[in-house]
């Protein structure tokens, strides 16, 4: 029998292919998983990016979603540097059902910026478009300060004492709007370095969830009732009523400052000791309720 120098038997070729497939699966995993882990572009094959810290959809939150590790380091370094020169966020105050937002963060991309708000912590602005060779800017535009109060309701968050903008710090007012899922919906800059944001959340869909009165102590509720009675009977102007309510909000810890000098709670009631801005006790003077 004449023996050929080349092996052309189909059976031998098939065995060789099966052996190659087995070795490939042993070294690199199954061909299916290899296909799933890579994406073909033209004649090249690139690996799919593995997201190790995925976006959390719980309550509409984005816990962290950075583009690259370099961007992470750059952003963290910028915020750490800024934090060294800024004040700490105020302590949490308000309804307990708002505590679920403490420790969460929500992002919004708009124009050339990414905005991130972490309720009861801060709100930041990061450039998403920037010149090659220049570090992208990341700024803290506001730090949790106190509540926005409107008509006896919690209406939003005041974020103050952000990074300096010329000779003044940046600040942001965050107002609530109704939505089934929580999230940052819009950010504008109506005045230079003074921002306005809209944060939508389920609590804003239920007016009772934003009421301040039930959150007050019995003592402060009684004082509120007295102010309301005086206003309805014409013994207290709307301005005087609002000033007294804002003073109650300060005593309850919901706001830090009252835009005008706090007034006495009611005429005829013994003035009480409160704390001044420095923490020292002071006596509120009695004034006419008709202011």
């Amino acid at each position: 029998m004449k023996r050929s120098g080349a092996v052309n038997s189909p059976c031998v070729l098939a065995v060789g292919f099966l052996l190659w497939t087995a070795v490939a699966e042993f070294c690199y995993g199954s061909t299916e998983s290899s296909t799933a882990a890579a994406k073909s572009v033209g004649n090249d094959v690139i690996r799919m990016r593995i997201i190790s810290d995925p976006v959390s959809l719980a309550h509409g939150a984005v816990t962290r979603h950075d583009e690259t590790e370099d961007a992470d380091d750059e952003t963290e370094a910028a915020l750490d540097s800024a934090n060294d020169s800024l004040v700490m966020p105020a302590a949490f105050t308000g309804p307990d059902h708002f505590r679920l937002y403490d420790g969460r963060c929500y992002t919004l991309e708009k124009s050339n910026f990414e905005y991130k708000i972490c309720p009861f912590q801060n709100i930041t602005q990061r450039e998403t478009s920037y010149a090659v060779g220049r570090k992208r800017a990341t700024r803290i535009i506001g730090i949790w300060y106190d509540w926005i109060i409107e008509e006896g309701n919690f209406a939003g968050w005041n974020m103050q004492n952000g990074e300096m903008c010329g000779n003044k710090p940046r600040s942001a007012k965050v107002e609530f709007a109704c939505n089934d899922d929580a999230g940052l919906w819009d950010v504008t800059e109506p005045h230079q370095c003074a921002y306005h944001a809209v944060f939508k959340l389920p609590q804003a869909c239920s007016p009772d969830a934003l009421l301040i009165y039930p959150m007050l102590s019995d003592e402060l509720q009684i004082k509120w009732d007295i102010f309301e009675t005086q206003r309805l009977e014409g013994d207290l102007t709307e301005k005087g009523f609002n000033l007294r309510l804002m003073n109650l909000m300060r005593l309850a810890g919901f706001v830090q400052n009252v835009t005008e000098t706090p007034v006495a709670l009611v005429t005829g009631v013994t003035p009480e000791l409160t704390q001044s801005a420095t923490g020292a006790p002071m006596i509120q003077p009695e004034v006419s309720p008709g202011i």
Side-chain angles (χ1 to χ4, degrees), residues 79-289:
L79 293 181
D80 288 344
S81 176
N83 281 328
D84 290 341
S85 60
L86 298 177
V87 300
M88 295 293 292
F92 174 89
T93 63
D96 283 340
H97 51 260
F98 272 86
R99 288 187 182 275
L100 67 91
Y101 299 112
D102 191 8
R104 300 178 182 270
C105 294
Y106 306 80
T107 62
L108 168 73
E109 289 193 14
K110 181 179 180 181
S111 300
N112 296 324
F113 297 101
E114 178 190 79
Y115 297 92
K116 177 185 284 187
I117 183 171
C118 302
F120 307 106
Q121 297 297 323
N122 59 39
I123 180 170
T124 61
Q125 177 195 63
R126 185 180 73 161
E127 289 181 329
T128 56
S129 177
Y130 56 100
V132 176
R134 183 180 69 82
K135 290 184 178 180
R136 75 175 72 198
T138 300
R139 307 179 183 91
I140 296 178
I141 61 176
I143 297 174
W144 159 243
Y145 187 75
D146 62 7
W147 291 88
I148 297 174
I149 305 295
E150 291 181 0
E151 299 180 355
N153 292 287
F154 296 104
W157 299 310
N158 275 316
M159 301 287 197
Q160 299 188 17
N161 302 314
E163 292 184 48
M164 294 301 294
C165 176
N167 59 356
K168 65 178 181 180
R170 290 176 167 84
S171 63
K173 287 189 176 293
V174 183
E175 295 190 354
F176 296 153
C178 170
N179 195 58
D180 290 340
D181 297 316
L184 184 60
W185 281 73
D186 192 29
V187 179
T188 58
E189 190 177 357
H191 305 288
Q192 185 178 16
C193 300
Y195 303 84
H196 177 269
V198 176
F199 189 84
K200 293 189 176 183
L201 68 171
Q203 285 85 346
C205 303
S206 174
D208 290 346
L210 301 178
L211 286 174
I212 295 174
Y213 186 90
M215 298 299 303
L216 298 175
S217 65
D218 292 342
E219 179 185 1
L220 294 183
Q221 286 184 1
I222 291 173
K223 291 172 181 176
W224 186 321
D225 294 340
I226 293 173
F227 301 157
E228 186 70 37
T229 300
Q230 288 185 325
R231 184 177 69 88
L232 293 175
E233 292 178 351
D235 295 330
L236 191 62
T237 66
E238 198 68 28
K239 178 181 178 181
F241 175 74
N242 289 331
L243 281 174
R244 285 165 169 76
L245 282 191
M246 288 307 295
N247 193 36
L248 286 187
M249 302 304 103
R250 183 179 64 83
L251 295 174
F254 301 147
V255 299
Q256 293 202 44
N257 292 315
V258 179
T259 55
E260 298 188 34
T261 304
V263 296
L265 296 178
V266 285
T267 298
V269 175
T270 303
E272 60 182 285
L273 284 174
T274 60
Q275 286 189 334
S276 66
T278 61
M282 66 178 186
I283 297 179
Q284 297 184 54
E286 291 189 2
V287 297
S288 169

Side-chain angles (χ1 to χ4, degrees), residues 7-24:
V7 179
N8 295 318
S9 170
C11 293
V12 173
L13 292 175
V15 170
F17 177 78
L18 291 174
L19 288 173
W20 177 88
T21 302
V23 171

